[in-house]
Amino acid sequence: RQLLLEGLVSDAPAVAIGYTASGGQLAVNLVDTRLAGIVPRGVEQIPTTSTSSRQVITGLPDGGAVMLRLAAPGEAAQVNWRFIGTGGTIASTGDAGASIAAGHVQNVRIDLPPGTIGVEITSPTPILAAITDTVERDGANGRAADFGVASSTTPLARRNLVAAAGQASTTLGLVASSDGPATVEVRQVDANGT
């Protein structure tokens, strides 16, 4: 079944979608389609994630302003974040925290320092977090725009596989989400299994 969320939530500047399932397992896919009048502004599939007092987001642009969306579905949350690069924590000149009221969602504009690979978001109470980045540029048919959403990810198990997007330029962002260092072996698997 598909639900058009515009019919349930209209003109809200920040929304988080919660759901519960009973009687069986549920696979969820959220597709965000944006338009400016009749001009396409991008399509993004947003992965689902679980609430946690620690969220780690990778797959970010290298520097620049982005929108951090924070949700406190239960209790009020005092949220803090830090930027992570290849050398560890990257110093920030802007705010590094926000207060979110219980049951509310808030957008916070943050400036990613150059070299940022990930953002760690922490709170004493469970939260949800995602980052949205919008890119606009001039093209042959006028001004074009696209956006991307990076949600928090769970720590990797011992072995994982990610499907790359064919001939597109693909970047794998890895952040050691524990207090100690991590060793990772990355290998490419092609259609022949090699």
Side-chain angles (χ1 to χ4, degrees), residues 148-175:
V149 177
S151 295
S152 61
T153 58
T154 56
L156 296 175
R158 292 196 57 173
R159 187 170 240 188
N160 288 272
L161 186 66
V162 177
Q167 299 299 316
S169 174
T170 304
T171 303
L172 181 63
L174 300 168
V175 173

Side-chain angles (χ1 to χ4, degrees), residues 57-67 83-84 90 110-119 131-135 148-150 171:
I57 300 176
T58 61
L60 306 173
D62 186 17
V66 296
M67 193 66 68
F83 305 108
I84 304 169
I90 299 175
I110 60 174
D111 291 315
L112 297 176
T116 300
I117 296 173
V119 178
I131 288 180
T132 302
D133 181 35
T134 302
V135 177
V149 177
T171 303

Side-chain angles (χ1 to χ4, degrees), residues 12 36 92 100 109 111 127 143 146 149 154 161 166 172-173 186 189 191:
S92 170
I100 313 298
R109 188 174 177 86
D111 291 315
I127 56 168
R143 193 132 179 93
D146 196 7
V149 177
T154 56
L161 186 66
L172 181 63
V186 177
V189 180

Side-chain angles (χ1 to χ4, degrees), residues 3-187:
L3 297 173
L4 184 60
L5 297 178
E6 290 174 358
L8 301 175
V9 180
S10 61
D11 298 330
V15 176
I17 307 299
Y19 55 89
T20 56
S22 61
Q25 294 183 335
L26 184 67
V28 177
N29 181 33
L30 179 64
V31 178
D32 189 350
T33 304
R34 299 190 185 181
L35 296 170
I38 60 170
V39 179
R41 304 288 282 184
V43 176
E44 185 75 10
Q45 289 198 30
I46 303 171
T48 59
T49 189
S50 299
T51 59
S52 171
S53 60
R54 186 166 180 260
Q55 306 266 323
V56 177
I57 300 176
T58 61
L60 306 173
D62 186 17
V66 296
M67 193 66 68
L68 173 62
R69 178 162 295 168
L70 300 166
E75 303 172 52
Q78 178 58 48
V79 181
N80 295 297
W81 56 84
R82 71 180 179 106
F83 305 108
I84 304 169
T86 56
T89 299
I90 299 175
S92 170
T93 57
D95 291 337
S99 296
I100 313 298
H104 283 72
V105 180
Q106 183 174 327
N107 286 336
V108 180
R109 188 174 177 86
I110 60 174
D111 291 315
L112 297 176
T116 300
I117 296 173
V119 178
E120 178 188 53
I121 301 114
T122 57
S123 170
T125 58
I127 56 168
L128 286 172
I131 288 180
T132 302
D133 181 35
T134 302
V135 177
E136 293 193 32
R137 61 185 164 274
D138 293 320
N141 297 324
R143 193 132 179 93
D146 196 7
F147 73 102
V149 177
S151 295
S152 61
T153 58
T154 56
L156 296 175
R158 292 196 57 173
R159 187 170 240 188
N160 288 272
L161 186 66
V162 177
Q167 299 299 316
S169 174
T170 304
T171 303
L172 181 63
L174 300 168
V175 173
S177 60
S178 61
D179 291 332
T183 301
V184 179
E185 177 186 350
V186 177
R187 68 183 182 96

